[in-house]
Structure formats: C-alpha cells, structure tokens
C-alpha cells in the first residue's frame, strides 16, 4: 500500500502551543530600514542553528507572465539590494531579461519567521559577477563552468563527464571566467517580516519604499 498523502498531511502539526515556543518580535522596536532588521533576523537565525538560513525562494515570471519559483542562495544584501547569481541564459536569467522584477522568500522555521522581498531586478556589471563567482568555492566555479543550466540533459553519464572536466579546469585555473555568470540585485520596494505565534496571532510588519524613505505598516495575519 502506498503512502496516503492526505492522511500524512493531516497528521502534521505546526507551532502546537503546548510544545512550541517561538521567538518574540515587537514591531515598535523595528529599525527604520528593512535591511537593518533583516541583518538582525538573519544573525539570529544563524545563532539559533537554522539549517542553510541563506537559502531563499526566488519567484520570477516568463515573457507570458507565467510564474516560476526555485530555491537559490543569497549572495549578499546591502543598500543596493538583495543579491543572487545565475547564468544569464538560464531559465531564471531569461525570465529576468523579459520581466526584470522578482520576489524572494526566506523561511526560518526554528524561529517561526519569514521574510518576503519584492522589487525590480538589475544585473551587476560583469566584473562584479565574476568577482562574486571567484570568491566562492571550487565547487561553485565547477558548477558554473558546467553551464547549460535548464537545458535538456541527454544522460547522467554526459553530466558526469562534463562536470569532471569542469572540476579539473576549476582546480587548474581558479580564475577562469564564466561569461554568462551574472550577479543580480533586487532593489526592494516592499519587505515584509512575519513572526509566527503559537496561538496564530502572527505579527506581520511591512516596509514600503516611499519618496521620503521607508514607511512601516502592520498587516492582519
């Protein structure tokens, strides 16, 4: 007998008040900018032992407006925006070329927290993208050199052969450029911070960019 997915789903409990204690968040203490609060929450997620807190969901849309989402890695966040990278000719890259707007989603269940970021996306200059790539691991460079992201793969043997060659190049020539590798910056127009509550009195604070800076509003959960 196979797994009954619906039964399995019904058996799960999230933030059971009898056994769960989540982090607290008083929006009255929130800093003036979302970047400052994000930095604090990110550091707290790391300190709490959250697995891979730098992973995030990236949502884009193709030229016809059809959405897509995948998990990628945060490469940085500063006053220029939230940074991630991929090949310009990948599915993500072609989506962003057609519709340069995206959304990011972070989820740190150990604290019951989410952060959502939306805004326009621009590509950084090529030299910044290459510097970002070469500051990462040998494996990251090998993966970038393997390329062909989102293209149809003939077989796993083909992948193994190309990947092995890429690893050898990365080890032998660690400064090898990858012309399609692109660093993207999402400049936030809206950033929402969600703090879960065991009794479902979730706290949602949203920052919205204005001509004067950042405004803050609370949202119903």
């Amino acid at each position: 007998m196979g797994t009954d997915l619906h039964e399995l789903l019904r058996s799960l409990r999230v933030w059971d008040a009898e056994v769960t204690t989540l982090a607290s968040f008083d929006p009255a203490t929130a800093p003036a900018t979302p970047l400052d609060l994000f930095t604090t929450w990110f550091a707290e997620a790391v300190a709490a032992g959250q697995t891979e807190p730098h992973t995030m969901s990236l949502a884009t849309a193709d030229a016809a407006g059809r959405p897509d989402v995948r998990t990628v890695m945060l490469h940085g966040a500063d006053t220029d925006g939230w940074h991630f990278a991929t090949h310009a000719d990948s599915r993500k890259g072609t989506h962003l070329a057609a519709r340069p707007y995206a959304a990011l989603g972070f989820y740190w269940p150990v604290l019951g927290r989410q952060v959502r970021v939306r805004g326009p996306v621009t590509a950084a200059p090529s030299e910044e993208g290459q510097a970002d790539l070469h500051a990462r691991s040998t494996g990251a460079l090998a993966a970038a050199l393997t390329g062909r992201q989102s293209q149809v793969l003939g077989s796993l043997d083909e992948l193994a052969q190309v990947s092995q060659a890429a690893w050898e190049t990365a080890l032998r020539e660690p400064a090898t450029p990858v012309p399609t590798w692109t660093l993207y910056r999402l400049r936030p127009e809206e950033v929402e911070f969600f703090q879960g509550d065991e009794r479902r009195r979730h706290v949602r604070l949203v920052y919205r960019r204005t001509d004067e800076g950042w405004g803050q509003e609370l949202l119903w959960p």
Side-chain angles (χ1 to χ4, degrees), residues 49-217:
Q50 176 62 58
T51 302
E52 298 183 346
H54 56 324
T55 57
M56 59 187 184
S57 298
L58 167 65
T60 58
D62 65 15
R66 294 171 297 194
D68 204 348
V69 67
R70 74 289 286 166
T71 301
V72 299
M73 186 179 297
L74 177 69
H75 285 219
D78 53 30
T79 54
D80 290 329
W82 271 248
H83 307 175
F84 59 93
T86 188
H87 292 280
D89 56 356
S90 68
R91 181 176 295 182
K92 298 184 289 293
T94 56
H95 284 189
L96 291 169
R99 291 175 177 264
Y101 199 94
L104 306 175
F106 296 85
Y107 180 43
W108 300 317
V110 70
L111 297 173
R113 287 176 172 172
Q114 298 181 57
V115 181
R116 301 166 61 205
V117 188
R118 295 197 302 170
V121 177
T122 57
S126 176
E127 57 270 22
E128 292 187 28
Q130 296 303 304
D132 170 80
L133 174 61
H134 294 118
R136 300 177 68 201
S137 66
T138 299
L141 176 58
L145 286 167
T146 300
R148 310 184 193 184
Q149 194 175 71
S150 302
Q151 297 180 25
V152 175
L153 173 65
S155 70
L156 294 181
D157 286 341
E158 180 183 3
L159 171 61
Q161 292 173 11
V162 175
S163 177
Q164 180 61 34
W167 271 91
E168 292 172 2
T169 299
L171 288 167
R172 186 177 62 252
E173 303 174 45
T176 302
V178 183
T180 58
W181 189 256
T182 305
L183 182 67
Y184 292 94
R185 297 191 182 104
L186 187 155
R187 184 176 185 269
E189 294 179 339
E190 179 178 297
V191 185
E192 181 189 324
F193 294 84
F194 173 104
Q195 175 60 68
D197 178 83
E198 300 93 329
R199 300 187 181 278
R200 303 304 191 267
R201 300 167 185 167
H202 311 313
V203 178
R204 296 176 64 190
L205 174 68
V206 62
Y207 289 78
R208 292 192 176 93
R209 189 185 294 274
T210 70
D211 293 338
E212 291 74 36
W214 289 100
Q216 297 181 15
E217 291 180 316

Side-chain angles (χ1 to χ4, degrees), residues 1-5:
M1 180 181 293
T3 299
D4 186 325
L5 177 60

Side-chain angles (χ1 to χ4, degrees), residues 10-72:
R10 284 192 291 269
S11 72
L12 299 175
R13 295 291 179 269
V14 178
W15 301 338
D16 187 332
E18 295 183 0
V19 297
T20 304
T21 301
L22 298 177
S24 61
F25 172 52
D26 180 1
T29 66
T33 72
L35 178 60
D36 287 338
L37 184 54
F38 178 84
T39 300
T40 297
W41 276 27
F42 185 84
E44 290 175 353
V46 173
Q50 176 62 58
T51 302
E52 298 183 346
H54 56 324
T55 57
M56 59 187 184
S57 298
L58 167 65
T60 58
D62 65 15
R66 294 171 297 194
D68 204 348
V69 67
R70 74 289 286 166
T71 301
V72 299

